[in-house]
Amino acid sequence: MRTSEIREAAAALLDAHRSGTPIPPLSATYPGATIADAYRIQQEQARCWTEAGDRVRGHKIGLVSAAIQRQMGVHEPDYGHLTASMLRPEHRPIPARAFIQPRIEPEIAFVLDAPLRGPGVTADDAVRAVGYLLPALEIVDSRIRDWEISIVDTIADNASSGAAILGSTPIDPADVDLPSANCALLRNGTVIETGTGAAVLGTPFNALAWLANAIGAMGVSLEPGQVVLSGSLTRAIPIAPGDSITAEFPGIGRVTAMLAEDAPS
């Protein structure tokens, strides 16, 4: 894609963010767009957000399960930027108007205590770089009409990011066997999904190492204090105003998000 088209596509997504009106798939508007083009579109949006006063606080990882990768026709995850405005407090209603077509996922969040600079980062390196982990919920959303997305569309759309809700009790990663960690996702008190940490590339630490190497190829590193959402342990579940969603991780903790139509932003 030409630079002018990259900016045009980013502007269309930014306008969808502001207006709440989704757009047709970028993969249809720009049929020759590549994954590299999609990351350029994502980067252009991140530049606009930071110029407007937002701040990059970390990253989110998507497409971690083998089933989703097969569905999307890819062989590796993707990533997006996690900004300060995307971080929402636990137990405080989140306005539904902030999203277009939201879904929610349970995840393990890492908070880094040391830098990770790819290439060559291993899962063991990732373990050593983590200061603590937290239970988390990610609200994913799409600015693409009816979630009609290809891999190019979701990457360009900041990996279909929406918001992140982090638990409040830090956990030492040495105290948890993440591959066997269980998770239950509850909507309004009823369990609707279950999963384990092994769904995230075998262990969420593999996802963190993958991210460090992927952004390292672009000359970017993960820094102390940054937050990384490592990917969903279950499928994403649609949510609606009035829903209360809780992710329970035995031995790790729980985190709750509430979606409300009239809550303050």
Side-chain angles (χ1 to χ4, degrees):
M1 292 174 66
R2 299 188 300 271
T3 299
S4 61
E5 292 176 318
I6 296 293
R7 292 174 178 167
E8 180 182 75
L13 289 167
L14 290 167
D15 184 65
H17 273 279
R18 288 188 291 264
S19 68
T21 301
I23 63 174
L26 294 175
S27 54
T29 305
Y30 306 96
T34 65
I35 288 177
D37 292 328
Y39 277 117
R40 290 172 64 201
I41 296 168
Q42 181 188 130
Q43 289 281 356
E44 175 65 13
Q45 290 176 89
R47 184 189 66 79
C48 292
W49 290 329
T50 56
E51 284 189 354
D54 210 345
R55 183 163 60 96
V56 174
R57 290 288 310 276
H59 290 80
K60 59 149 291 180
I61 306 170
L63 304 179
V64 293
S65 76
I68 292 177
Q69 288 183 15
R70 285 194 299 269
Q71 179 184 1
M72 299 296 288
V74 297
H75 63 279
E76 66 178 21
D78 69 351
Y79 66 85
H81 292 75
L82 185 62
T83 68
S85 65
M86 295 176 191
L87 297 176
R88 300 281 184 159
E90 185 183 9
H91 295 298
R92 186 172 174 183
I94 302 169
R97 64 178 178 271
F99 311 103
I100 298 175
Q101 41 198 349
R103 301 175 180 179
I104 201 161
E105 303 172 340
E107 308 202 9
I108 296 294
F110 295 121
V111 181
L112 300 186
D113 195 40
L116 278 175
R117 298 187 176 97
V121 172
T122 67
D124 286 341
D125 296 328
V127 171
R128 288 190 290 269
V130 172
Y132 59 90
L133 56 85
L134 296 166
L137 286 162
E138 183 186 4
I139 298 177
V140 293
D141 197 13
S142 183
R143 274 56 61 176
I144 305 299
R145 185 181 57 210
D146 298 325
W147 279 96
E148 190 181 344
I149 58 174
S150 69
I151 183 64
V152 165
D153 296 294
T154 187
I155 290 174
D157 192 19
N158 199 38
S160 302
S161 60
I165 303 93
L166 306 181
S168 55
T169 304
I171 300 296
D172 187 332
D175 294 338
V176 182
D177 179 17
L178 282 186
S180 62
N182 293 311
C183 170
L185 186 66
L186 297 84
R187 180 169 55 203
N188 304 321
T190 300
V191 175
I192 53 174
E193 288 286 325
T194 60
T196 69
V200 183
L201 301 183
T203 170
F205 288 119
N206 285 336
L208 180 57
W210 174 87
L211 174 65
N213 291 323
I215 67 172
M218 303 177 67
V220 180
S221 63
L222 298 173
E223 300 297 339
Q226 288 190 334
V227 178
V228 174
L229 297 179
S230 58
S232 182
L233 280 69
T234 72
R235 66 189 181 102
I237 300 300
I239 53 175
D243 282 342
S244 176
I245 306 294
T246 297
E248 294 185 343
F249 300 82
I252 298 175
R254 56 188 288 155
V255 56
T256 297
M258 295 178 286
L259 197 65
E261 195 74 62
D262 56 356
S265 58

